[in-house]
Structures are given as C-alpha cells and as structure tokens.
Amino acid sequence: MAITLYDFELSGNCYKLRLLMSILGLPYDIVPVDFFPGREHKADWFLRLNAFGQLPVLKDDDLVLSDSGAILAYLAKKYDASGQWFPNDPAITAEILRWHAVADDITSTSSAARLALGYDYAFDIEKSQNGAHRIFRLIDEHLWFGEREGRDWLCSPSHPTTADIACFPYVMLSEEGGISRQDYPALRRWTDRVRRIPGFTVMSGIFPAGPAKVD
Amino acid sequence: MPLSLSDPNWYPIASSEDLPFRHVYQGQLLGRELAVWRADDGNVNVWENRCLHRGVRLSIGINEGQELKCQYHGWRYANQSAGCTYIPAHPADAPARRIENRKYPVKEAYGLIWSSANDEKPFVPFPGAVGEDWFALRPMPVNAAPGDVVAGLARLAPDDQPADLLPGMTVRLGDVVYFVQPIDAGRAVIRGLLPRTPTDELATLRHYNEQLTRLRDRLERAAAKKPAPEPLQPIYEKVSADLATMPDIAVPRGNTLNVVVKRKWQSADGVIGFELADRDGSHLPTFQPGAHIDVHLPNGLVRQYSITNGPGDLLSYVIGVKQESASKGGSKVLVETVREGDVLAISEPRNNFPLRRDATRTVLIAGGIGITPLLSMARFLDKSSLPYELHYFTRNGESVAFKSELDVLHGAVHIHTGLARDAIQGTINQVLGPHQFANHVYICGPGAMLEMVQETASGLGWPDEAVHFEYFQNDKTIDASSAFDIELARSAMTLHVPAGHTILEVMREAGLSVPSSCEQGACGTCLTTVMEGEVDHQDVYLNKSEKASNTCMMTCVSRAKSARLVLDI
C-alpha cells in the first residue's frame, strides 16, 4: 500500500483527508499542488488525474480517486478496522452521505467567501456569507437538540463519522470568509469535540482545543 | 429607543448550558464582544474578548480549567481576577500581577448567565423570578433591532391576554418570560424561560423553537426592508497603564490588604495550615506559582509565606506554617495566638521563584515545609497537563503536609520519609540524573538540603540557570563590619555605609523608597543592579554564577569589598 495525496496546504478539502488519515494513523506521501496563486490544479498533468480540475486527488497504489467526500468514504471503508467512521448500516450510510452533501454546501458558501476574500476569486461575497449563515443556523439547531438527546455528533452513532470530518474544516475556517460563528454556540461546542478526537491534527487557521476536564 | 453603550441594565448573555467545562463561549452585549468561560470551580468569567497583548480574540483561546490561555502567544489569565499569570516570551520573569484583562459583571441565575455593560446597578431578579424553578428555552438569535424584537414578541400574545412588558427588554407571555439580549443595534437574541421543567422536555423545546423561528423569519424579513441601523461603536478603551504594564521596580512598601483567617488547621505533625480570605468574599490579587506574601504579625514582625494555591484559585490564599520548637517569635505568634476569624495584614503576592512552563522535564524537590511553593507549582503544571515529578522529603509519615492536596495531583508525586542524609543525597542523585536540554529543577527546603541539591546538580552537569531554589531564611552569619560608599546612579546621590548598617537602611534614611521583604538575603525582593565595584555577597538568593557576575546584589545583607559601589538606583 502506498497512498499519495495531491495536496494544497491551505485547502480545507485536502485537510479533510489529512485529518482522517492522521486519526487512522495512515502513512501517506504528499505531492504539493500550487492551487494558489499557481492554479496548478488546472494544469494538463493534473487534469489527467482529475478532469474536473479539483483538489484533492488521492492515489492508492494505482487507484486514482477524487472528491474529498468520496475519498473519506473510501479511506474509512478500506482502512478503518473499527468500522466506525463509515459504518455499513444502510440507514447510517444514508445519514452520512446526507451530511457529506451538506459539507459540499458549506464548501460552496463558506469556502467560497474565504476564496473571495483571501484568494482573489470573483465570487459574490455577500451571497456566499448569507448562504453559510443559513447552513450554520440549521447545523446549530441540529447539534443543540442533539446535545439534548445525548447525541454529540452530526449523525446518530455515539461516535464521530466521516460526516463530522467532512463538515468541520470550512466551519472552522469560516471567519477567514468573514462569517462569524458567534450566533452558533452548539456548533462551536461541536468544534471543540472534533478537535479532541484522538489523532486530531491542525492546519493553518485551525487551532487545537485544550484537553477536556479529567475528573 | 436607541441602544446606549452605557445602558446599566443586566441582560442574559448565555444559557448556563452554553458553558460546559473547558469551553470558551463567544458572546456580545451592546456592541461589545465577550469571552465567557466557566472555570473548573464553577465560576463564570465574562471578559472583554481580546488578549491584552496583541488583541486576538480570547474566545478562540484555551480554557485550561482555572486559567484561559490565549491562542496566539500563550499569555495566561487567571479565573476570577483576569490577571495575567504567565508570559511565555519571558518565562524566567514573573509577569506583573497587575496586568489584568477587562472584566464585566456576571451573575448565574435561573438557568441563564447575566451581565451588564458596567457596574452601576447591582443584579436584581426580574419580577416574579423568585420561587420558580426556571427552565431555559433554546436561544434564538435574530438579525433585527432589539426594540423591534421586543415588539414582535409582544405581538405573539393572544388578544384576550396581552403581553406584559417588563423593564429591561423583557416580555411576559402568560407563563413564559422572554428576555431580549441587545447584541448590537441590528442584532438580538431571544432568551425564553419557562417557570418549570416541562414533562416532555424535547417536545416542548421543539414547540417553542418552531414558534421563535417563525417569529425570527418574520422579524428578519421586516428588518431587510428597512435601512440597516448603524452598529454601536464601543470604544475599546486602553486598559489603564497601571493594569497593562509591568509595575515599577520600586514597589511601594507597606501596601497591604487585610484578610481574615477563614480556617486554621493542623495539616501535619508540625505544620499548621492557614486559609486567608478577603473580608468581603471577593477575590484576592493574582499570583504566580512560587509567589509569597508578607504576613504582618500581631507582634510587629513581618514574615514571608509561600502561597500553595493552584491556578485561578483566588478566593483565599492557603499558606503552611512550621510549628517550630525553638521559633524566634515569627511562626510562633502565628501558630499560637492567631485564631480563625482574626484579621491580618498581608502584602500583595510577590514572586522571586518563577516557574518556567517551557521545560521538557520539571523536577520539584521539597524538604519539610519547603513543600508550600512547590505544591503551587505542581498544581499549575498539573492543570496545564505538563509533565513534572515532585519529590517531597519529610522526617516521617506524620509530617507530610497537604496530603489530600497532593493525592489529587496527576503527576508523579514521590514522598520520601525518614531518609538519612546520605540516602537523601543518593535519591537526589538518582532523581536528577545527567542534565539534558530544557530540564529544570526547583528546590525549597532547609539550607543544608538546598546546598546538597545544588552541589549534586552541579556535579551532574546541571547549569546554574536550570537550578532554581528558594531558601526559607538565611542561616549565614552576616559580617557587617565593612564600611564603604555607595553611589546611586539614577538618584545622583553618594552615601556612606558605616559598619553595622545595611545599604538598605542607609538608602531609606536618605529618604529613598526601595522595596524589600525578608531583609535577611533570602527572598530576592531588594535585588539591585550593580554598575561598578566589587560586591561582598552574603545572601542565599543569588546563585553562584549570578554572584560571580558581579552585576547584581541584595542590598539588605550584602556589602562591598571595594571602597565604592555604583548602584542602578
């Protein structure tokens, strides 16, 4: 087995894979792709790996995969011996995929605002920010009632899944897109919990949480 | 009515449940951002949301239980006082206890956390608050003017049972009381309370959540049609120079505070514990691990005692006093005549025994009553999950002081009882081992033990700057027979120090105000920079290399070998 991640250090979507591989203790190599300012993800050599011209791409021996959510599912199904990160149960699989779709909505709003403010992308900043707030409101409500029901994570199992990994980065990076999380206290508490998962790793703009209270 | 930055009313700013342990909540009231956190002792802190150092939001910082650590450069602030307790860029300096972040008033009541923009009004329960067991609804943030939100809530009332508008943006609708938290000119949070916990909690919470969501959507649609109100412009005043800068070296003498002896108990055979608290129950000044206070005794003597407390534990100071058989009147007075309920004058905490938190290995070695500053250090390291080992040498098992406090530590705590001198030396030799990068040892105990540890450490290659020690007292006989001149460079004065008088005494007689504490060369308070001349060191505070450097001295006991000393005073 030899895993290679085609990676941009400041990409939250690439970070999703680094995060899960860190949690699973998987060794991997990195091929840096100069997404900004080099736009290397639109270069011919990269388009041959992923015709959609998007990061991340992950190679596992000869298998070439793209799309962060798909790769999260692949890594969990193939390498997570505990079976917890992407459980086989059909209902839970559906639940996780539903949140992978929310993660893509977070990317198209929160990440878009960040790209517009920090990376010269011509996205509509206000529209992106409003869109992120609309999603964050729903997640905050979901997590607030989750706490009341004894559910700490986005999906119903009593442990985190790839849904939490998929949604986490662009929630945490939202302030770089001018999106405050002040109005979402339950969402903020969930980010503490994600940051306390054993094997958690950081990226630029995402800080670690301190240890939880030990009684 | 427009919002006022100086509105003195109390508003809820969070639910109690928003503040689990080890979390920092981000809040806002009347335009001012807040970092709100619950310490491990349950106390809720409401602070201005910025670090005094570089202005980074403290809400992204780390709640370590009793201290909040800024994410940017690691400045730490204490529970209760918001005083800065550690500055990583200056690990060897005790940061000024006066550096203090801005705090706002706080009250936890009825399932909510309340605060106000200023101290003008005491907290008063809302009408009808007392006697009910209030149950908080899910808070609902709304992007609309707080006044419009109050009006919107009032319109929820059925025609035959109009809403009851209470002062302070409060609306009562039947049983339910709604508070509107004014976040800013165009933003608010609705915080509702039910008078008791409903039988079906979840269904009830969902019901009100849906109702408030609909109201929010209506209010936001209406707000979108109006011009957005100008946000409040809070002035982030500079923290006063007194609270933001290192205090002058010349700490005024006699600056004391009165404390009451809240508890006095036999902590171990030969050790009496004293718990000293503020008379009004408010918090005491911030201290750093290793710090001591001067205690002014009823017989006029002043003695130094180390604070044993852990981080952010400021509602009282706990000290340990040795019950000496041949006590010279200091500890004896405290042990024999001071009772619970008595009032004592103490100085603000001072730290001449600072703890570094960047060590890869920290060894704490205590002998007898020397456990007191090291217990405090162990507690700080413990809370920050930093590795340390504590070795505590006592005469026998009965003389182990602060046993229950030591038992709850998570680090390696070794109690060595009844060892003979040779065995102590052997143990210390083994414990220290050869010096490695960023290893630090802290020792407090009897003079003979301190010398033994220093020699052992030096033999194992430990540099002086890695060996930190604090003597209880200077047992050396002071030779005050020399006579010499001192030139005070900054004060432009030359004074003569005759035999039998100390430099400190001569400077005071000349009208200078200079800090001192133990006045026997043990505590380090009168440390002075030497610019010229050769010092006759007689203290036990400076280490060998500091003494050899001839650049500093303790003016309370040390003198001159040369005819003249030039001091930076």
Side-chain angles (χ1 to χ4, degrees):
Chain A
M1 159 200 119
I3 300 177
T4 303
L5 175 66
Y6 290 81
D7 181 64
F8 179 60
E9 196 181 336
L10 300 178
S11 155
N13 280 326
C14 295
Y15 167 63
K16 292 173 190 177
L17 306 187
R18 281 180 259 134
L19 180 52
L20 183 63
M21 289 195 281
S22 170
I23 291 168
L24 296 177
L26 281 178
Y28 60 96
D29 291 324
I30 279 182
V31 174
V33 179
D34 184 14
F35 172 88
F36 182 86
R39 289 182 57 80
E40 217 180 342
H41 58 302
K42 302 296 181 193
D44 290 345
W45 72 268
F46 189 86
L47 291 173
R48 270 175 232 126
L49 283 173
N50 177 12
F52 290 93
Q54 287 171 335
L55 283 168
V57 163
L58 183 129
K59 249 169 80 173
D60 192 0
D61 290 332
D62 294 330
L63 180 67
V64 179
L65 300 168
S66 58
D67 182 76
S68 59
I71 300 171
L72 284 175
Y74 168 80
L75 289 171
K77 284 189 93 74
K78 181 148 187 200
Y79 296 108
D80 168 29
S82 75
Q84 295 203 328
W85 287 96
F86 199 86
N88 272 326
D89 180 279
I92 296 171
T93 303
E95 219 184 319
I96 292 175
L97 291 176
R98 203 277 153 267
W99 284 101
H100 278 198
V102 174
D104 290 338
D105 291 342
I106 299 172
T107 300
S108 64
T109 52
S110 174
S111 168
R114 174 173 176 259
L115 289 176
L117 283 176
Y119 300 78
D120 290 345
Y121 273 69
F123 294 134
D124 182 334
I125 296 174
E126 206 186 322
K127 192 174 155 223
S128 303
Q129 290 172 336
N130 290 341
H133 280 295
R134 213 159 33 240
I135 300 168
F136 288 179
R137 271 186 172 174
L138 291 169
I139 306 181
D140 185 71
E141 182 175 329
H142 175 71
L143 287 166
W144 194 90
F145 281 100
E147 287 177 348
R148 284 301 182 128
E149 293 160 4
R151 173 176 51 72
D152 278 345
W153 308 101
L154 290 173
C155 296
S156 51
S158 60
H159 51 76
T161 63
T162 57
D164 299 285
I165 306 279
C167 291
F168 175 76
Y170 288 119
V171 166
M172 277 310 278
L173 294 168
S174 72
E175 270 160 351
E176 293 185 9
I179 301 150
S180 163
R181 296 187 295 281
Q182 183 185 294
D183 283 344
Y184 317 112
L187 181 73
R188 292 186 77 253
R189 290 192 288 276
W190 166 79
T191 67
D192 276 9
R193 295 195 285 273
V194 174
R195 289 181 292 159
R196 286 180 182 141
I197 294 172
F200 177 80
T201 185
V202 295
M203 68 168 274
S204 296
I206 297 184
F207 301 107
K213 185 166 180 271
V214 185
D215 292 310
Chain B
M1 197 182 73
L3 298 180
S4 157
L5 284 167
S6 53
D7 179 350
N9 288 314
W10 287 73
Y11 294 100
I13 56 160
S15 300
S16 287
E17 287 164 351
D18 280 327
L19 307 179
F21 291 120
R22 307 299 178 103
H23 175 73
V24 190
Y25 174 90
Q26 185 182 8
Q28 192 169 338
L29 182 62
L30 294 163
R32 296 177 183 91
E33 256 197 52
L34 308 170
V36 185
W37 61 286
R38 187 188 297 279
D40 284 359
D41 62 7
N43 178 60
V44 175
N45 298 285
V46 180
W47 295 352
E48 188 166 293
N49 193 13
R50 63 169 178 162
C51 177
L52 289 176
H53 178 220
R54 292 285 178 192
V56 163
R57 284 191 171 99
L58 289 174
S59 58
I60 64 166
I62 294 177
N63 173 351
E64 286 209 334
Q66 296 291 90
E67 289 176 318
L68 184 65
K69 183 174 128 186
C70 177
Q71 196 71 257
Y72 200 19
H73 295 103
W75 284 37
R76 286 163 194 272
Y77 299 93
N79 175 32
Q80 309 267 3
S81 71
C84 178
T85 61
Y86 192 64
I87 297 175
H90 301 281
D93 288 332
R97 66 192 135 65
R98 290 208 191 93
I99 296 183
E100 233 175 69
N101 202 355
R102 191 179 301 280
K103 306 182 280 276
Y104 290 99
V106 59
K107 173 83 184 171
E108 184 166 16
Y110 320 119
L112 299 173
I113 309 295
W114 305 74
S115 186
S116 83
N118 51 53
D119 289 316
E120 273 170 44
K121 276 189 180 176
F123 176 81
V124 182
F126 61 90
V130 181
E132 306 284 2
D133 186 17
W134 296 95
F135 176 82
L137 299 176
R138 175 167 183 254
M140 183 61 62
V142 185
N143 292 321
D148 293 346
V149 177
V150 172
L153 280 164
R155 282 196 301 272
L156 289 180
D159 290 346
D160 56 342
Q161 205 186 348
D164 199 0
L165 288 172
L166 305 173
M169 300 209 186
T170 306
V171 181
R172 189 189 286 274
L173 289 175
D175 259 3
V176 195
V177 184
Y178 290 105
F179 306 91
V180 175
Q181 170 192 354
I183 297 270
D184 209 327
R187 294 166 60 210
V189 180
I190 304 171
R191 298 186 182 276
L193 289 181
L194 301 183
R196 65 200 68 86
T197 306
T199 31
D200 190 342
E201 281 187 38
L202 267 174
T204 310
L205 287 168
R206 287 200 186 274
H207 164 77
Y208 284 103
N209 188 58
E210 276 176 27
Q211 195 183 26
L212 292 178
T213 302
R214 282 195 297 270
L215 173 65
R216 177 196 72 192
D217 292 348
R218 281 201 300 276
L219 287 167
E220 290 190 347
R221 277 196 299 273
K225 288 178 193 145
K226 294 203 275 188
E230 199 55 37
L232 292 173
Q233 300 289 339
I235 297 155
Y236 292 103
E237 292 159 45
K238 284 197 168 170
V239 170
S240 68
D242 192 37
L243 291 179
T245 50
M246 300 288 263
D248 286 343
I249 291 184
V251 179
R253 293 185 85 231
N255 192 7
T256 61
L257 47 137
N258 289 332
V259 288
V260 64
V261 178
K262 204 172 149 193
R263 196 159 68 99
K264 175 186 176 186
W265 73 103
Q266 187 92 35
S267 173
D269 191 15
V271 181
I272 306 292
F274 285 86
E275 183 180 358
L276 311 172
D278 179 83
R279 284 192 293 180
D280 304 323
S282 64
H283 70 76
L284 295 167
T286 316
F287 65 94
Q288 286 85 43
H292 68 266
I293 47 170
D294 293 345
V295 177
H296 296 252
L297 300 167
N299 63 356
L301 287 175
V302 179
R303 285 286 176 269
Q304 290 74 43
Y305 297 97
S306 297
I307 298 173
T308 62
N309 297 38
D313 185 10
L314 296 174
L315 288 179
S316 61
Y317 297 145
V318 171
I319 59 171
V321 179
K322 191 176 176 189
Q323 230 173 344
E324 282 169 289
S325 42
S327 186
K328 288 172 295 182
S331 299
K332 198 178 155 96
V333 169
L334 205 47
V335 167
E336 291 176 6
T337 68
V338 173
R339 292 162 306 175
E340 286 183 4
D342 285 358
V343 173
L344 290 172
I346 62 169
S347 68
E348 291 191 326
R350 211 179 348 251
N351 194 9
N352 301 317
F353 194 27
L355 170 70
R356 298 179 68 114
R357 319 233 195 140
D358 56 351
T360 53
R361 178 168 177 244
T362 302
V363 182
L364 310 173
I365 298 177
I369 193 67
I371 187 63
T372 49
L374 299 180
L375 172 60
S376 177
M377 290 183 179
R379 287 167 145 177
F380 273 77
L381 295 167
D382 208 77
K383 270 283 183 225
S384 299
S385 305
L386 291 169
Y388 66 91
E389 45 197 285
L390 170 61
H391 295 269
Y392 180 14
F393 294 85
T394 63
R395 211 164 285 154
N396 51 49
E398 287 72 53
S399 47
V400 176
F402 301 104
K403 185 86 178 52
S404 52
E405 290 83 350
L406 292 167
D407 282 345
V408 297
L409 295 174
H410 301 89
V413 178
H414 304 275
I415 297 177
H416 309 274
T417 52
L419 296 188
R421 197 185 150 81
D422 285 356
I424 295 180
Q425 177 140 31
T427 308
I428 286 171
N429 200 56
Q430 215 176 353
V431 161
L432 288 177
H435 182 259
Q436 289 179 11
F437 177 72
N439 284 10
H440 287 268
V441 61
Y442 298 81
I443 323 139
C444 186
M449 181 179 172
L450 262 68
E451 272 147 34
M452 179 211 285
V453 179
Q454 287 177 66
E455 274 166 32
T456 308
S458 162
L460 288 163
W462 288 64
D464 282 349
E465 61 270 20
V467 181
H468 312 263
F469 52 86
E470 184 168 74
Y471 280 82
F472 311 141
Q473 59 193 37
N474 186 353
D475 294 328
K476 294 182 182 164
T477 314
I478 306 296
D479 175 3
S481 61
S482 58
F484 53 94
D485 283 343
I486 50 170
E487 210 175 296
L488 307 179
R490 273 195 276 168
S491 313
M493 255 187 216
T494 303
L495 302 169
H496 180 69
V497 182
H501 289 263
T502 67
I503 298 178
L504 196 65
E505 284 165 2
V506 170
M507 291 194 291
R508 292 222 171 109
E509 277 160 26
L512 290 165
S513 170
V514 276
S516 77
S517 183
C518 75
E519 304 197 2
Q520 48 162 307
C523 78
T525 307
C526 63
L527 179 71
T528 301
T529 300
V530 176
M531 301 163 83
E532 260 182 71
E534 197 187 341
V535 184
D536 171 19
H537 293 288
Q538 303 204 37
D539 64 281
V540 290
Y541 177 76
L542 298 173
N543 66 29
K544 276 194 191 122
S545 26
E546 287 163 340
K547 282 178 181 166
S549 76
N550 210 47
T551 55
C552 53
M553 72 180 298
M554 315 312 303
T555 57
C556 64
V557 290
S558 297
R559 309 180 68 81
K561 284 182 181 162
S562 49
R564 192 181 70 120
L565 280 182
V566 182
L567 303 179
D568 184 23
I569 278 185

